[in-house]
C-alpha cells in the first residue's frame, strides 16, 4: 500500500476530523483492535484531535500530534502503524513467517502460504483460526518485533490446507514509505 | 521464547503500581508500551539491521552507542542461533545478498551526492510593483536545508517577512520580501547559518518582470 509512496505528490491534504467522527473512529478502533480503552487513550488522548491525511488511491492515514497512528483503505479495517504495533504488539492477532521469507517481505512481496506452514513459521491454532480478510501482525522467525502488518487472503486453516500461493497480503512493512514517515 | 527479555535494558513491566495523582485503584491503567531500540542508521529495530543495506555502519553504530546490546546480536553464538530453520546454503546466500545490497546502497549514495552537487538553486527577483520586489529562492531542499529554518534566518537577517510557499509548479520555495538576491548569494558563499554546503556555482539569479494583472 505504501510502495513508491511520495508524500509530496501522494498526499492530497490534511483535515482535522470532526468530533462526532472521531468518536465513531475511536469506537471502531476499540472493537477492531484488541486494546483497552485506557491504553488507546494513552496513544490517542481524547483532547488531542485526530487529523485525517488523505492520500492517493483512497488510502487514509490518521495522525495524532503529527504522528501516524492508523491507516485505512477505502472504508476497510483500520490498521495500526508498525511503530504502534511495536509498542503494543498484542493489538492484532499474529502470524509468523520463516527466516527465508523475511527478505522477500522487506522487498515488498506478499507472503506465500509455505512461509507460514514451514518449521519456522506460525499460524494461530485451529481454535483461534482467523477468517480471510483479518488484519494480522506479521512476525518473523527468531525476531522479537513485528516485521509487517497484513491481511489474510485465505482463512488461516486454508493457508495450512492449501499451502500454495499468497496467504497474507502485506499492507505495510519495515522500511516502506509509511515507515519512513515518522511525522506528517 | 525470547519474549521476556525486553530489548532496551530498562524496565521489565513492573507489577502495576498506582501512579501518583491517580484516583486510588479506580481508573484502570494503560498498559506500558514495549520499549524498542531502533537503529540510528537504518531505523529498523536493531535485530533487523542484518536485512538492511547498511549492516557495516549499523554494527559500528550499535557498538558505539549500545555496546551491551552488541554481543546479544553479533556474538558468535547469536549468529549461530539466529540462523534458525534456514539451511546453511540459504544463510550464505543471504549474507552474500546483504553484502551486495550494501554495495548497491553505497553506489546509490554516491550517485545521490553527485546529483546533489549538480542541483541548481534559483534566486528569482520578482517585481511586485514599480518599487517593490520579492525574492524567491528555489532548490535549497536538494542540499538538505530545512526551508522553514532558512526562511526564519532570512527574515531575521533582513528584518523582513519570509515564508515557505508553493510556486506555480507546486514546488516549495522560500519567499522573502524585498530585493535581497545579492545578499542571499553572499550568505550562501559565507555558508551563513543553515545555508551550508552549497557550491556558489550552482546558484543562479533570474529576474521576473511584473505580469499583467498579476496578484
Ligand atoms: Zn541498522
Amino acid at each position: 500500500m505504501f510502495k513508491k509512496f511520495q508524500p509530496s505528490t501522494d498526499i492530497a491534504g490534511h483535515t482535522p476530523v470532526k468530533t462526532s467522527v472521531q468518536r465513531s473512529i475511536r469506537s471502531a478502533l476499540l472493537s477492531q483492535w484488541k486494546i483497552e480503552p485506557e491504553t488507546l487513550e494513552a496513544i490517542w488522548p481524547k483532547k488531542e484531535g485526530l487529523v485525517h491525511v488523505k492520500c492517493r488511491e483512497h488510502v487514509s492515514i490518521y495522525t495524532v500530534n503529527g504522528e501516524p497512528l492508523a491507516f485505512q483503505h477505502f472504508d476497510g479495517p483500520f490498521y495500526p502503524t508498525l511503530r504502534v504495533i511495536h509498542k503494543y504488539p498484542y493489538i492484532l492477532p499474529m502470524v509468523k513467517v520463516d527466516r527465508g521469507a523475511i527478505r522477500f517481505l522487506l522487498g515488498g512481496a506478499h507472503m506465500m502460504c509455505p512461509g507460514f506452514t514451514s518449521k519456522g513459521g506460525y499460524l494461530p491454532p485451529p481454535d483461534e483460526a482467523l477468517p480471510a480478510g483479518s488484519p494480522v501482525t506479521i512476525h518473523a522467525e527468531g525476531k522479537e518485533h513485528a516485521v509487517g502488518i497484513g491481511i489474510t487472503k485465505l482463512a488461516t486453516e486454508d493457508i495450512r490446507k492449501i499451502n500454495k500461493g499468497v496467504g497474507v497480503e502485506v499492507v505495510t512493512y519495515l522500511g516502506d514509505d509509511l515507515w519512513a514517515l515518522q511525522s506528517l | 521464547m525470547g519474549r521476556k527479555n525486553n530489548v532496551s535494558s530498562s524496565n521489565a513491566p513492573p507489577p502495576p503500581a498506582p501512579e501518583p495523582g491517580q484516583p486510588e485503584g479506580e481508573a484502570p491503567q494503560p498498559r506500558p508500551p514495549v520499549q524498542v531500540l531502533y537503529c540510528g542508521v537504518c531505523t529498523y529495530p536493531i535485530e533487523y539491521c542484518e536485512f538492511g543495506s547498511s549492516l557495516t555502519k549499523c554494527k559500528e553504530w550499535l557498538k558505539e552507542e549500545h555496546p551491551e546490546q552488541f554481543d546479544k546480536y553479533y556474538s558468535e553464538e547469536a549468529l549461530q542461533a539466529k540462523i534458525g530453520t534456514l539451511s546453511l546454503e540459504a544463510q550464505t546466500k543471504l549474507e552474500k545478498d546483504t553484502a551486495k545490497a550494501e554495495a548497491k546502497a553505497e553506489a546509490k549514495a554516491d550517485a545521490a551526492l553527485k546529483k546533489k552537487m549538480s542541483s541548481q538553486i534559483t534566486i528569482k527577483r520578482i517585481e511586485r510593483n514599480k518599487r517593490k520586489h520579492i525574492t524567491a529562492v528555489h532548490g535549497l531542499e536538494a542540499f538538505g536545508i530545512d526551508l522553514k529554518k532558512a526562511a526564519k534566518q532570512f527574515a531575521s537577517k533582513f528584518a523582513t517577512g519570509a515564508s515557505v510557499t508553493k510556486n506555480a509548479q507546486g514546488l516549495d520555495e522560500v519567499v522573502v520580501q524585498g530585493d535581497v538576491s545579492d545578499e542571499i548569494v553572499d550568505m550562501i558563499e559565507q555558508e551563513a547559518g543553515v545555508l551550508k554546503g552549497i557550491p556558489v556555482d550552482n546558484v543562479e539569479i533570474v529576474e521576473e518582470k511584473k505580469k499583467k494583472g498579476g496578484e
Side-chain angles (χ1 to χ4, degrees):
Chain A
M1 212 178 278
F2 296 98
K3 247 200 262 182
K4 305 238 169 83
F5 180 90
Q6 267 199 332
S8 56
T9 55
D10 292 331
I11 291 181
H14 297 222
T15 19
V17 178
K18 269 194 270 173
T19 328
S20 57
V21 181
Q22 292 201 34
R23 225 175 293 130
S24 68
I25 292 179
R26 191 180 289 272
S27 70
L29 294 187
L30 287 172
S31 72
Q32 292 176 20
W33 297 358
K34 208 168 144 261
I35 191 168
E36 313 80 14
E38 54 281 5
T39 307
L40 182 60
E41 169 75 24
I43 51 179
W44 172 21
K46 285 205 182 66
K47 57 179 190 301
E48 293 297 342
L50 196 67
V51 173
H52 177 194
V53 181
K54 253 196 204 141
C55 309
R56 61 149 194 220
E57 288 160 15
H58 304 279
V59 172
S60 297
I61 303 176
Y62 294 92
T63 66
V64 175
N65 264 326
E67 223 179 287
L69 165 77
F71 60 95
Q72 185 184 29
H73 185 224
F74 278 104
D75 49 4
F78 288 98
Y79 299 97
T81 60
L82 198 48
R83 281 193 176 80
V84 169
I85 276 289
H86 283 159
K87 288 195 199 121
Y88 304 96
Y90 48 83
I91 293 182
L92 296 178
M94 76 96 133
V95 294
K96 192 190 268 186
V97 294
D98 59 28
R99 185 168 161 86
I102 301 177
R103 163 134 286 165
F104 296 102
L105 202 159
L106 293 175
H110 292 318
M111 290 291 96
M112 311 302 256
C113 295
F116 299 102
T117 56
S118 79
K119 199 153 162 261
Y122 171 86
L123 288 169
D127 57 328
E128 292 166 30
L130 302 167
S134 311
V136 287
T137 300
I138 306 171
H139 282 257
E141 178 187 0
K143 303 294 182 198
E144 186 181 352
H145 304 293
V147 61
I149 295 171
I151 181 163
T152 53
K153 187 93 190 298
L154 297 173
T156 49
E157 284 307 293
D158 285 338
I159 295 181
R160 248 192 269 269
K161 250 185 271 158
I162 301 171
N163 203 19
K164 214 167 63 185
V166 172
V168 173
E169 282 182 359
V170 179
V171 295
T172 184
Y173 55 92
L174 214 51
D176 69 359
D177 291 323
L178 176 61
W179 177 259
L181 289 178
Q182 300 215 26
S183 71
L184 267 171
Chain B
M1 275 201 331
R3 257 289 139 91
K4 269 194 274 170
N5 35 6
N6 242 330
V7 167
S8 118
S9 54
S10 67
N11 44 345
E19 291 224 343
Q22 284 280 349
E24 290 134 351
E26 285 299 307
Q29 296 294 316
R31 282 216 245 174
V34 174
Q35 306 285 330
V36 184
L37 177 59
Y38 292 114
C39 173
V41 178
C42 69
T43 75
Y44 293 180
I46 51 177
E47 56 182 355
Y48 285 101
C49 285
E50 55 166 334
F51 289 99
S53 53
S54 52
L55 183 58
T56 318
K57 285 209 189 86
C58 293
K59 279 163 94 171
E60 280 166 15
W61 176 84
L62 191 63
K63 203 162 191 177
E64 182 76 17
E65 301 290 321
H66 302 274
E68 74 292 349
Q69 296 284 325
F70 188 82
D71 282 344
K72 182 172 160 198
Y73 291 97
Y74 298 110
S75 72
E76 199 57 41
E77 304 92 83
L79 292 180
Q80 282 303 323
K82 79 174 180 193
I83 295 174
T85 64
L86 206 61
S87 71
L88 202 61
E89 279 159 77
Q91 177 61 23
T92 330
K93 171 151 188 326
L94 199 120
E95 277 162 22
K96 247 194 212 151
D97 286 351
T98 304
K100 235 193 254 165
E102 233 177 299
K104 213 165 148 191
E106 264 164 43
K108 209 168 152 192
D110 270 0
L113 185 71
K114 261 198 201 129
K115 189 170 168 218
K116 177 169 134 181
M117 280 322 178
S118 62
S119 302
Q120 202 70 23
I121 292 203
T122 331
I123 301 180
K124 210 187 256 179
R125 180 167 170 259
I126 304 169
E127 191 176 41
R128 293 306 294 270
N129 54 42
K130 277 282 163 273
R131 285 287 186 84
K132 291 207 173 110
H133 294 85
I134 55 171
T135 307
V137 188
H138 171 71
L140 290 173
E141 69 285 350
F143 294 88
I145 291 166
D146 184 326
L147 299 186
K148 277 193 192 140
K149 284 189 187 147
K152 232 182 194 164
Q153 190 181 333
F154 291 141
S156 66
K157 164 101 184 177
F158 304 123
T160 180
S163 62
V164 180
T165 48
K166 283 207 188 312
N167 65 12
Q169 287 83 46
L171 300 168
D172 280 334
E173 55 185 27
V174 180
V175 174
V176 191
Q177 301 301 317
D179 174 14
V180 289
S181 33
D182 294 330
E183 287 87 341
I184 290 178
V185 178
D186 289 343
M187 287 170 79
I188 288 174
E189 210 157 4
Q190 294 153 10
E191 308 211 299
V194 296
L195 303 174
K196 287 198 169 43
I198 307 169
V200 178
D201 293 343
N202 294 23
V203 183
E204 185 190 24
I205 299 188
V206 295
E207 292 260 348
E208 186 176 293
K209 289 281 180 223
K210 191 183 162 103
K211 275 180 263 164
K212 210 171 75 178
E215 193 203 35

